[in-house]
PDB file of all heavy atoms in Angstrom:
ATOM      1  N   TYR C  32     144.404 109.036  95.333  1.00 98.00           N
ATOM      2  CA  TYR C  32     145.041 108.082  96.240  1.00 98.00           C
ATOM      3  C   TYR C  32     145.803 107.033  95.467  1.00 98.00           C
ATOM      4  O   TYR C  32     145.498 106.707  94.322  1.00 98.00           O
ATOM      5  CB  TYR C  32     144.015 107.465  97.198  1.00 98.00           C
ATOM      6  CG  TYR C  32     143.388 106.138  96.831  1.00 98.00           C
ATOM      7  CD1 TYR C  32     143.927 104.935  97.288  1.00 98.00           C
ATOM      8  CD2 TYR C  32     142.215 106.083  96.068  1.00 98.00           C
ATOM      9  CE1 TYR C  32     143.324 103.720  96.987  1.00 98.00           C
ATOM     10  CE2 TYR C  32     141.605 104.871  95.768  1.00 98.00           C
ATOM     11  CZ  TYR C  32     142.172 103.696  96.226  1.00 98.00           C
ATOM     12  OH  TYR C  32     141.577 102.493  95.918  1.00 98.00           O
ATOM     13  N   THR C  71     142.903  94.729 102.784  1.00 92.00           N
ATOM     14  CA  THR C  71     143.154  93.952 101.572  1.00 92.00           C
ATOM     15  C   THR C  71     144.352  93.019 101.745  1.00 92.00           C
ATOM     16  O   THR C  71     144.391  91.933 101.167  1.00 92.00           O
ATOM     17  CB  THR C  71     143.385  94.893 100.371  1.00 92.00           C
ATOM     18  OG1 THR C  71     144.122  96.044 100.802  1.00 92.00           O
ATOM     19  CG2 THR C  71     142.066  95.349  99.781  1.00 92.00           C
ATOM     20  N   GLN C 102     158.580 103.703 104.370  1.00 97.00           N
ATOM     21  CA  GLN C 102     159.076 104.002 103.026  1.00 97.00           C
ATOM     22  C   GLN C 102     158.297 105.136 102.374  1.00 97.00           C
ATOM     23  O   GLN C 102     158.880 105.931 101.624  1.00 97.00           O
ATOM     24  CB  GLN C 102     159.043 102.731 102.180  1.00 97.00           C
ATOM     25  CG  GLN C 102     160.119 101.738 102.622  1.00 97.00           C
ATOM     26  CD  GLN C 102     160.061 100.406 101.913  1.00 97.00           C
ATOM     27  OE1 GLN C 102     159.185 100.159 101.093  1.00 97.00           O
ATOM     28  NE2 GLN C 102     161.010  99.537 102.221  1.00 97.00           N
ATOM     29  N   ILE C 106     160.272 108.249 100.677  1.00 96.00           N
ATOM     30  CA  ILE C 106     160.131 108.582  99.256  1.00 96.00           C
ATOM     31  C   ILE C 106     159.428 109.917  99.057  1.00 96.00           C
ATOM     32  O   ILE C 106     159.740 110.665  98.119  1.00 96.00           O
ATOM     33  CB  ILE C 106     159.372 107.462  98.523  1.00 96.00           C
ATOM     34  CG1 ILE C 106     160.186 106.170  98.545  1.00 96.00           C
ATOM     35  CG2 ILE C 106     159.049 107.850  97.084  1.00 96.00           C
ATOM     36  CD1 ILE C 106     159.415 104.957  98.090  1.00 96.00           C
ATOM     37  N   MET C 124     132.965  96.960 110.112  1.00 93.00           N
ATOM     38  CA  MET C 124     131.868  96.731 109.168  1.00 93.00           C
ATOM     39  C   MET C 124     131.448  95.260 109.216  1.00 93.00           C
ATOM     40  O   MET C 124     132.289  94.380 109.029  1.00 93.00           O
ATOM     41  CB  MET C 124     132.288  97.108 107.742  1.00 93.00           C
ATOM     42  CG  MET C 124     131.176  96.893 106.715  1.00 93.00           C
ATOM     43  SD  MET C 124     131.674  97.315 105.017  1.00 93.00           S
ATOM     44  CE  MET C 124     131.698  99.093 105.099  1.00 93.00           C
ATOM     45  N   GLN C 141     129.932  91.575  85.826  1.00 78.00           N
ATOM     46  CA  GLN C 141     131.157  92.384  85.825  1.00 78.00           C
ATOM     47  C   GLN C 141     132.302  91.644  86.502  1.00 78.00           C
ATOM     48  O   GLN C 141     133.433  91.631  86.018  1.00 78.00           O
ATOM     49  CB  GLN C 141     130.883  93.713  86.546  1.00 78.00           C
ATOM     50  CG  GLN C 141     132.093  94.601  86.732  1.00 78.00           C
ATOM     51  CD  GLN C 141     131.716  95.882  87.464  1.00 78.00           C
ATOM     52  OE1 GLN C 141     130.887  96.667  87.010  1.00 78.00           O
ATOM     53  NE2 GLN C 141     132.318  96.090  88.628  1.00 78.00           N
ATOM     54  N   HIS C 176     134.915 105.074  99.831  1.00 97.00           N
ATOM     55  CA  HIS C 176     135.121 105.659 101.159  1.00 97.00           C
ATOM     56  C   HIS C 176     135.987 106.917 101.072  1.00 97.00           C
ATOM     57  O   HIS C 176     135.654 107.953 101.672  1.00 97.00           O
ATOM     58  CB  HIS C 176     135.783 104.629 102.080  1.00 97.00           C
ATOM     59  CG  HIS C 176     136.128 105.164 103.434  1.00 97.00           C
ATOM     60  ND1 HIS C 176     135.232 105.169 104.487  1.00 97.00           N
ATOM     61  CD2 HIS C 176     137.272 105.741 103.911  1.00 97.00           C
ATOM     62  CE1 HIS C 176     135.802 105.710 105.542  1.00 97.00           C
ATOM     63  NE2 HIS C 176     137.049 106.059 105.222  1.00 97.00           N
ATOM     64  N   ASP C 201     133.082 102.367  89.163  1.00 94.00           N
ATOM     65  CA  ASP C 201     131.705 101.936  88.909  1.00 94.00           C
ATOM     66  C   ASP C 201     130.862 102.027  90.177  1.00 94.00           C
ATOM     67  O   ASP C 201     129.697 102.435  90.133  1.00 94.00           O
ATOM     68  CB  ASP C 201     131.718 100.505  88.368  1.00 94.00           C
ATOM     69  CG  ASP C 201     130.367 100.098  87.786  1.00 94.00           C
ATOM     70  OD1 ASP C 201     129.898 100.802  86.867  1.00 94.00           O
ATOM     71  OD2 ASP C 201     129.792  99.103  88.256  1.00 94.00           O
ATOM     72  N   ILE C 203     131.320 104.082  92.731  1.00 97.00           N
ATOM     73  CA  ILE C 203     131.063 105.506  92.991  1.00 97.00           C
ATOM     74  C   ILE C 203     129.933 106.011  92.094  1.00 97.00           C
ATOM     75  O   ILE C 203     129.028 106.728  92.550  1.00 97.00           O
ATOM     76  CB  ILE C 203     132.350 106.329  92.775  1.00 97.00           C
ATOM     77  CG1 ILE C 203     133.354 106.038  93.902  1.00 97.00           C
ATOM     78  CG2 ILE C 203     132.050 107.825  92.698  1.00 97.00           C
ATOM     79  CD1 ILE C 203     134.737 106.586  93.661  1.00 97.00           C
ATOM     80  N   ALA C 211     134.441 109.456  88.892  1.00 98.00           N
ATOM     81  CA  ALA C 211     135.803 109.400  89.424  1.00 98.00           C
ATOM     82  C   ALA C 211     136.716 108.877  88.321  1.00 98.00           C
ATOM     83  O   ALA C 211     136.250 108.321  87.324  1.00 98.00           O
ATOM     84  CB  ALA C 211     135.868 108.494  90.653  1.00 98.00           C
ATOM     85  N   TYR C 249     172.644 100.076  94.644  1.00 96.00           N
ATOM     86  CA  TYR C 249     173.436 100.939  93.764  1.00 96.00           C
ATOM     87  C   TYR C 249     173.977 100.143  92.579  1.00 96.00           C
ATOM     88  O   TYR C 249     173.920 100.574  91.434  1.00 96.00           O
ATOM     89  CB  TYR C 249     174.575 101.559  94.573  1.00 96.00           C
ATOM     90  CG  TYR C 249     175.483 102.474  93.788  1.00 96.00           C
ATOM     91  CD1 TYR C 249     175.239 103.849  93.732  1.00 96.00           C
ATOM     92  CD2 TYR C 249     176.593 101.978  93.113  1.00 96.00           C
ATOM     93  CE1 TYR C 249     176.079 104.692  93.013  1.00 96.00           C
ATOM     94  CE2 TYR C 249     177.433 102.807  92.386  1.00 96.00           C
ATOM     95  CZ  TYR C 249     177.170 104.169  92.342  1.00 96.00           C
ATOM     96  OH  TYR C 249     177.997 104.998  91.621  1.00 96.00           O
ATOM     97  N   TYR C 263     164.965 104.757  81.972  1.00 96.00           N
ATOM     98  CA  TYR C 263     165.021 104.598  83.426  1.00 96.00           C
ATOM     99  C   TYR C 263     165.329 105.931  84.108  1.00 96.00           C
ATOM    100  O   TYR C 263     164.826 106.207  85.190  1.00 96.00           O
ATOM    101  CB  TYR C 263     166.070 103.558  83.817  1.00 96.00           C
ATOM    102  CG  TYR C 263     165.904 102.210  83.145  1.00 96.00           C
ATOM    103  CD1 TYR C 263     167.008 101.443  82.779  1.00 96.00           C
ATOM    104  CD2 TYR C 263     164.643 101.697  82.843  1.00 96.00           C
ATOM    105  CE1 TYR C 263     166.864 100.220  82.152  1.00 96.00           C
ATOM    106  CE2 TYR C 263     164.485 100.482  82.208  1.00 96.00           C
ATOM    107  CZ  TYR C 263     165.597  99.737  81.860  1.00 96.00           C
ATOM    108  OH  TYR C 263     165.452  98.531  81.228  1.00 96.00           O
ATOM    109  N   LYS C 277     171.578 116.201  78.623  1.00 98.00           N
ATOM    110  CA  LYS C 277     173.001 116.449  78.842  1.00 98.00           C
ATOM    111  C   LYS C 277     173.718 115.176  79.280  1.00 98.00           C
ATOM    112  O   LYS C 277     174.804 114.849  78.785  1.00 98.00           O
ATOM    113  CB  LYS C 277     173.175 117.540  79.901  1.00 98.00           C
ATOM    114  CG  LYS C 277     174.617 117.975  80.135  1.00 98.00           C
ATOM    115  CD  LYS C 277     174.679 119.122  81.132  1.00 98.00           C
ATOM    116  CE  LYS C 277     176.125 119.555  81.375  1.00 98.00           C
ATOM    117  NZ  LYS C 277     176.188 120.683  82.352  1.00 98.00           N
ATOM    118  N   LYS C 301     170.241 107.735  96.324  1.00 98.00           N
ATOM    119  CA  LYS C 301     170.125 108.884  97.224  1.00 98.00           C
ATOM    120  C   LYS C 301     168.683 109.086  97.678  1.00 98.00           C
ATOM    121  O   LYS C 301     168.417 109.366  98.851  1.00 98.00           O
ATOM    122  CB  LYS C 301     170.649 110.136  96.512  1.00 98.00           C
ATOM    123  CG  LYS C 301     170.700 111.384  97.356  1.00 98.00           C
ATOM    124  CD  LYS C 301     171.583 112.461  96.715  1.00 98.00           C
ATOM    125  CE  LYS C 301     171.190 112.738  95.277  1.00 98.00           C
ATOM    126  NZ  LYS C 301     172.018 113.823  94.679  1.00 98.00           N
ATOM    127  N   GLN C 311     178.632 105.820 100.293  1.00 95.00           N
ATOM    128  CA  GLN C 311     179.316 104.613 100.744  1.00 95.00           C
ATOM    129  C   GLN C 311     179.178 103.499  99.716  1.00 95.00           C
ATOM    130  O   GLN C 311     180.146 102.781  99.419  1.00 95.00           O
ATOM    131  CB  GLN C 311     178.735 104.153 102.090  1.00 95.00           C
ATOM    132  CG  GLN C 311     179.553 103.080 102.770  1.00 95.00           C
ATOM    133  CD  GLN C 311     180.884 103.602 103.289  1.00 95.00           C
ATOM    134  OE1 GLN C 311     180.944 104.326 104.268  1.00 95.00           O
ATOM    135  NE2 GLN C 311     181.965 103.233 102.625  1.00 95.00           N
ATOM    136  N   GLY C 321     187.690  97.853  90.694  1.00 84.00           N
ATOM    137  CA  GLY C 321     189.091  98.191  90.460  1.00 84.00           C
ATOM    138  C   GLY C 321     189.339  99.644  90.112  1.00 84.00           C
ATOM    139  O   GLY C 321     190.456 100.020  89.749  1.00 84.00           O
ATOM    140  N   THR C 348     202.054  83.855  99.882  1.00 95.00           N
ATOM    141  CA  THR C 348     202.270  82.896  98.782  1.00 95.00           C
ATOM    142  C   THR C 348     201.301  81.717  98.904  1.00 95.00           C
ATOM    143  O   THR C 348     201.623  80.589  98.564  1.00 95.00           O
ATOM    144  CB  THR C 348     203.724  82.393  98.782  1.00 95.00           C
ATOM    145  OG1 THR C 348     204.018  81.803 100.057  1.00 95.00           O
ATOM    146  CG2 THR C 348     204.694  83.523  98.497  1.00 95.00           C
ATOM    147  N   SER C 350     197.595  79.529  98.418  1.00 97.00           N
ATOM    148  CA  SER C 350     196.993  78.882  97.255  1.00 97.00           C
ATOM    149  C   SER C 350     195.783  79.657  96.739  1.00 97.00           C
ATOM    150  O   SER C 350     194.813  79.884  97.482  1.00 97.00           O
ATOM    151  CB  SER C 350     196.567  77.457  97.623  1.00 97.00           C
ATOM    152  OG  SER C 350     195.750  76.911  96.609  1.00 97.00           O
ATOM    153  N   LEU C 355     189.754  80.222  96.172  1.00 97.00           N
ATOM    154  CA  LEU C 355     188.558  80.176  95.329  1.00 97.00           C
ATOM    155  C   LEU C 355     187.519  79.225  95.903  1.00 97.00           C
ATOM    156  O   LEU C 355     186.317  79.525  95.923  1.00 97.00           O
ATOM    157  CB  LEU C 355     188.929  79.745  93.910  1.00 97.00           C
ATOM    158  CG  LEU C 355     189.698  80.761  93.056  1.00 97.00           C
ATOM    159  CD1 LEU C 355     190.189  80.114  91.768  1.00 97.00           C
ATOM    160  CD2 LEU C 355     188.816  81.966  92.732  1.00 97.00           C
TER     161      LEU C 355
END
Side-chain angles (χ1 to χ4, degrees):
Y32 95 94
T71 37
Q102 289 175 358
I106 295 169
M124 180 181 287
Q141 175 180 300
H176 176 87
D201 193 57
I203 289 169
Y249 180 92
Y263 306 145
K277 185 176 180 180
K301 185 164 52 178
Q311 192 70 73
T348 57
S350 168
L355 288 171

